[in-house]
Amino acid sequence: MSVASIALPRILRIGAGASNQLAEVLTALGLSRPLIVTDGWLLNSGRVEELSGGLAREGIAARVFAETVPDPTIASIDAGVAFLKAGAHDCVVGFGGGSPIDSAKAIALLALHGGAMADYKAPHVQDAPGLPVIAIPTTAGTGSEATRFTIITDEATDEKMLCPGLAYLPVAALVDYELTFTKPRRLTADTGIDSLTHAIEAYVSRRANPFSDGMALLAMRAIAPNLRRVCADPMDAAAREAMMLGATQAGIAFSNSSVALVHGMSRPIGAHFHVPHGLSNAMLLPAVTAWSAPAALSRYADCARAMGVADETEGDQAAVVRLVDELAALNRELDVPGPAAWGIDAARWEALVPTMCTQAAASGSPANNPRIPDTDEMAMLYAKIWAS
Ligand SMILES: [Fe+2]
C-alpha cells in the first residue's frame, strides 16, 4: 500500500467564538505583527474592526488590506504584496470567504519568495513556506482554511490557476460558525454545495486514502442533512455549526486526497463567465456524478449512504440512483440555474468550450476522477449541463 501524505494546520480552534482567540493563537505561535487580508464587505460590516480591536486590547497592532476581489487576480495579489511590504509584518491573517483566504496565502508566499504568481501554478508544487497564514473563514464553504492550495486568476488569460503545495496550508485556522449567520441565502447555498462537492470528490478521487475517507464521510454526514436547513433558516445555530464543521472537514479531506472532475470543469466556467465557484460546481455536480459513477459504483454508493439518502441495506446501483436524484433535487430546491438561465451567452459558451476543456485537463483535477474523460467527453458534459 502506498503512503498517504497528510498535512494539517498546526492549530485548529473550532466552535462559537473561536475567532475571538486570534490574539492568543498569534502569541502561541510567536507572532505579533499581523496583516489582516479581507474584503470591503467585511470591512464595512464592522467585523474587521471587531477583529483588530480584539488584537489591540492584547497589545497587537494589525494593519488591514481590504482590497481583495472575488476570484482573486494577479493584480489584486500584487497590490496586497506591495501593501504588506509597506509595513513590517511577520504573518498574514486571511479573514473572509475563500477569496480573502486564498489572497492571504498568495500574498504571504510572494512576500517572502518573490516572483510572479504564474510561476507557482500546477504542476509546480511550492512546499517551502512563505509568511505564516492564520485563516478565519466567514463562509462554510471553500475549506481553504485547511487546504494546501490557493486559486488565483490570471486576468490576462482568464485562467484560474491552481497553485498547490504546503506553503499554502495555514498554520492555524479559527473556525467560528457565529460568523456565518449573516450569509445571504444564495451564498449559503453555493458555498454549502461547494463543501459537499469537496467531500464527494475527495472520497471518489483516485488519490483517496483511509485518512481522507474518514474526513470526507464525516463531512457528508454533517453537510447533507443541514444544507436545506441553513438555507431555510439562516439563524439555525445547530445547522450553521454543522455546516461550518463539515466545510472544514471537507477541506481537510480534499487537501489530503484531491478534488476531481467537477472542480476541473468548474474553474474554467468561473474564470470565463464569472459564475461563483460553488454555483458552477452545483451546475456540474449531478451530471458529472451520473457520468462518473459506473467507474466507482461502491464509492458513490457510500456517499449516498453517508448523506442519508440511501438505506444501508440497499444495493450500490440503487444507492447511486438515489445520490444522483438527491443532487438534482438539491439544485432544484436551492434554485441553482443552468448556465443559460444564469445569463451566459450561448455563442460565447459554445466558442469557449474547447478552451475550457483544455484548461480543465491542464489543471490535473480530471485525472483524479474515477472515470477519466477525454476532451470530447468533457465537451459532451459541458453540452449536457448547458441544456439542463
Ligand atoms: Fe471548491
Side-chain angles (χ1 to χ4, degrees), residues 199-212:
I200 293 173
E201 295 213 289
Y203 191 77
V204 302
S205 166
R206 287 167 181 258
R207 293 166 68 183
N209 56 74
F211 179 88
S212 61

Side-chain angles (χ1 to χ4, degrees), residues 134-205:
I134 296 89
I136 307 176
T138 60
T139 63
T142 65
S144 185
E145 68 276 8
T147 73
R148 54 177 108 175
F149 307 102
T150 189
I151 315 271
I152 305 299
T153 298
D154 183 342
E155 58 271 46
T157 57
D158 270 349
E159 180 189 4
K160 277 197 174 189
M161 302 184 293
L162 173 67
C163 306
L166 293 177
Y168 308 109
L169 183 65
V171 64
L174 312 185
V175 181
D176 183 349
Y177 70 87
E178 291 189 330
L179 299 173
T180 66
F181 286 125
T182 51
K183 262 201 307 180
R185 180 176 183 270
R186 182 74 267 151
L187 187 63
T188 296
D190 294 347
T191 53
I193 295 177
D194 186 30
S195 298
L196 181 62
T197 309
H198 294 154
I200 293 173
E201 295 213 289
Y203 191 77
V204 302
S205 166

Side-chain angles (χ1 to χ4, degrees), residues 2 4 20-21 81 97 113 129 131 141 159 172 185 202 220 250-251 272 282 290 307 321 327 370 385:
S2 59
N20 299 327
Q21 299 183 5
V81 173
H113 292 276
L131 290 178
E159 180 189 4
R185 180 176 183 270
M220 284 182 247
H272 293 289
M307 287 169 59
V321 170
L327 298 176
I385 67 153

Side-chain angles (χ1 to χ4, degrees), residues 61-370:
R63 288 168 76 235
V64 176
F65 177 72
E67 311 298 313
T68 65
V69 295
D71 297 329
T73 57
I74 289 175
S76 75
I77 299 305
D78 289 345
V81 173
F83 187 89
L84 179 143
K85 286 187 170 167
H89 296 287
D90 60 4
C91 62
V92 180
V93 176
F95 181 54
S99 296
I101 294 177
D102 277 2
S103 298
K105 293 175 174 186
I107 291 165
L109 177 82
L110 292 184
L112 212 62
H113 292 276
M117 207 60 223
D119 301 340
Y120 295 95
K121 74 174 175 179
H124 177 86
V125 176
Q126 178 64 31
D127 284 335
L131 290 178
V133 173
I134 296 89
I136 307 176
T138 60
T139 63
T142 65
S144 185
E145 68 276 8
T147 73
R148 54 177 108 175
F149 307 102
T150 189
I151 315 271
I152 305 299
T153 298
D154 183 342
E155 58 271 46
T157 57
D158 270 349
E159 180 189 4
K160 277 197 174 189
M161 302 184 293
L162 173 67
C163 306
L166 293 177
Y168 308 109
L169 183 65
V171 64
L174 312 185
V175 181
D176 183 349
Y177 70 87
E178 291 189 330
L179 299 173
T180 66
F181 286 125
T182 51
K183 262 201 307 180
R185 180 176 183 270
R186 182 74 267 151
L187 187 63
T188 296
D190 294 347
T191 53
I193 295 177
D194 186 30
S195 298
L196 181 62
T197 309
H198 294 154
I200 293 173
E201 295 213 289
Y203 191 77
V204 302
S205 166
R206 287 167 181 258
R207 293 166 68 183
N209 56 74
F211 179 88
S212 61
D213 284 353
M215 280 292 158
L217 291 170
L218 285 174
M220 284 182 247
R221 285 182 199 129
I223 295 163
N226 289 296
L227 181 49
R228 288 179 178 86
R229 280 176 61 179
V230 285
C231 290
D233 176 8
M235 298 309 288
D236 185 332
R240 287 287 195 196
E241 183 172 19
M243 289 300 293
M244 196 63 157
L245 177 63
T248 297
Q249 289 169 327
I252 290 172
F254 88 82
S255 184
N256 291 291
S257 167
S258 78
V259 286
L261 184 56
V262 175
H263 272 74
M265 291 181 61
S266 170
R267 287 186 209 104
I269 299 177
H272 293 289
F273 302 104
H274 304 289
V275 177
H277 172 68
L279 195 55
S280 53
N281 281 344
M283 290 173 181
L284 286 156
L285 186 58
V288 171
T289 299
W291 183 81
S292 306
L297 210 58
S298 69
R299 301 291 283 179
Y300 282 98
D302 287 344
C303 295
R305 294 177 194 118
M307 287 169 59
V309 297
D311 199 272
E312 292 293 335
T313 59
E314 219 160 354
D316 288 351
Q317 187 76 53
V320 168
V321 170
R322 289 191 191 276
L323 174 65
V324 174
D325 286 351
E326 165 67 358
L327 298 176
L330 266 178
N331 278 4
R332 272 194 312 276
E333 290 169 41
L334 303 184
D335 305 310
V336 172
W342 198 76
I344 292 174
D345 176 67
R348 193 154 173 259
W349 172 271
E350 194 69 34
L352 278 166
V353 161
T355 308
M356 293 202 291
C357 292
T358 306
Q359 290 179 339
S363 75
S365 299
N368 298 322
N369 208 55

